């Protein structure tokens, strides 16, 4: 079956760095997405990786290793507004998105 | 980036009534739109894939006669929750892509509360 695993919850301190991991097993691979979702709101796009390596976009970076079925989202210089759920999703061979359950990130002052 | 608009944002209705939710791609043509449901503290659950001009493809366990999906044009898809019951209360979100594969753009979501 298809499976996306990510931690349920993480806590970090304002100004620090946090890495949210995601491992996957899917039928085919057409890219991995990271989305941010604040409570009560729709998800917003953060990143898309289809090739191995690190993609950097401001304070957020995303890494992918296809051979390991592994990705991480790195958030630097954490701000209180970064408190949200972070969803990992993989596009399978049918171009369908398989969603992880999300990681709730709690930022403390 | 591309914009997807969803309406209404909030809706409260009585049990037994039907509710229609609209999803529009404002600046691109979306041949495929997706409808999700999200219960509190849970991840997105794909309900159906909506293709312009054809019948929607429903995920296992989703009642197609209860959740009517119409994708009449390249910029509009609608979800109608028929004979709504309190257990249908949820956050319904649509999304669309402007190409395959590509970034998925989400609507703002519609929170349905059935009394």
């Amino acid at each position: 079956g298809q499976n996306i695993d990510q931690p349920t919850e993480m806590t970090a301190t304002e100004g620090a760095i946090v890495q949210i991991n995601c491992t996957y097993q899917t039928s085919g691979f057409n890219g991995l997405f990271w989305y941010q979702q604040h409570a009560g709101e729709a998800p917003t796009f953060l990143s898309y990786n289809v090739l191995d390596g690190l993609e950097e976009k401001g304070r957020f970076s995303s890494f992918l290793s296809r051979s390991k079925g592994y990705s991480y989202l790195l958030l630097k210089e954490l701000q209180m507004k970064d408190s949200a759920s972070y969803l990992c999703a993989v596009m399978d061979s049918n171009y369908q998105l398989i969603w992880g359950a999300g990681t709730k990130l709690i930022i403390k002052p | 980036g591309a914009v997807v608009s969803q309406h209404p944002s909030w809706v409260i209705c009585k049990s037994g009534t039907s509710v229609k939710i609209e999803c529009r791609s404002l600046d691109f043509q979306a041949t495929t739109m997706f409808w999700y449901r999200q219960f509190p503290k849970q991840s997105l659950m794909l309900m159906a894939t909506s293709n312009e001009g054809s019948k929607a493809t429903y995920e296992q366990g989703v009642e197609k006669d209860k959740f009517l999906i119409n994708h009449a044009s390249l910029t509009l898809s609608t979800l109608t929750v028929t004979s709504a019951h309190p257990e249908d209360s949820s956050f319904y979100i649509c999304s669309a892509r402007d190409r395959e594969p590509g970034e998925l753009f989400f609507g703002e979501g519609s929170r349905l509360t059935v009394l």
Side-chain angles (χ1 to χ4, degrees):
Chain A
Q2 309 207 89
N3 194 49
I4 310 284
D5 285 319
Q6 51 181 130
T8 304
E9 186 174 295
M10 298 182 71
T11 302
T13 305
E14 189 177 15
I17 299 173
V18 70
Q19 177 175 310
I20 303 174
N21 295 325
C22 172
T23 58
Y24 63 89
Q25 290 178 308
T26 56
S27 302
F29 181 83
N30 278 303
L32 185 144
F33 296 79
W34 282 98
Y35 282 82
Q36 181 191 61
Q37 185 179 26
H38 286 98
E41 299 180 11
T44 54
F45 172 80
L46 290 178
S47 66
Y48 171 65
N49 294 66
V50 68
L51 299 176
D52 289 350
L54 185 68
E55 296 272 349
E56 296 185 75
K57 190 185 294 185
R59 293 190 298 115
F60 293 4
S61 302
S62 56
F63 171 84
L64 174 68
S65 170
R66 287 172 295 171
S67 62
K68 295 181 179 179
Y70 168 71
S71 172
Y72 67 73
L73 179 69
L74 191 70
L75 293 77
K76 302 176 183 177
E77 300 171 16
L78 286 171
Q79 302 175 10
M80 297 303 293
K81 66 178 182 180
D82 297 330
S83 292
S85 286
Y86 291 85
L87 308 175
C88 172
V90 173
M91 188 176 292
D92 67 10
S93 56
N94 295 318
Y95 298 104
Q96 298 283 13
L97 273 179
I98 312 300
W99 292 89
T103 298
K104 182 179 180 181
L105 178 63
I106 300 169
I107 310 296
K108 294 186 175 181
Chain B
V3 178
V4 175
S5 178
Q6 195 170 332
H7 177 82
S9 299
W10 296 83
V11 57
I12 301 174
C13 68
K14 292 182 179 180
S15 183
T17 60
S18 294
V19 175
K20 180 185 283 189
I21 302 170
E22 294 187 347
C23 179
R24 295 181 184 272
S25 56
L26 298 185
D27 52 359
F28 67 99
Q29 293 185 329
T31 54
T32 304
M33 288 185 172
F34 304 88
W35 287 96
Y36 294 86
R37 180 167 54 184
Q38 186 176 36
F39 292 106
K41 298 184 180 180
Q42 295 187 25
S43 189
L44 299 170
M45 185 181 74
L46 180 65
M47 298 176 66
T49 302
S50 168
N51 296 295
E52 186 266 337
S54 62
K55 291 183 179 180
T57 302
Y58 289 82
E59 295 300 302
Q60 193 172 9
V62 178
E63 300 174 58
K64 61 180 180 180
D65 294 330
K66 181 170 183 62
F67 299 99
L68 301 178
I69 292 173
N70 183 281
H71 195 153
S73 76
L74 286 172
T75 59
L76 174 65
S77 176
T78 61
L79 167 68
T80 301
V81 183
T82 61
S83 187
H85 291 282
E87 57 264 30
D88 298 324
S89 298
S90 184
F91 193 44
Y92 292 88
I93 310 172
C94 73
S95 68
R97 279 199 290 260
D98 59 355
R99 62 190 185 282
E100 300 283 351
E103 178 183 339
L104 201 64
F105 299 97
F106 284 87
E108 304 94 330
S110 300
R111 186 163 301 283
L112 170 64
T113 301
V114 184
L115 302 176

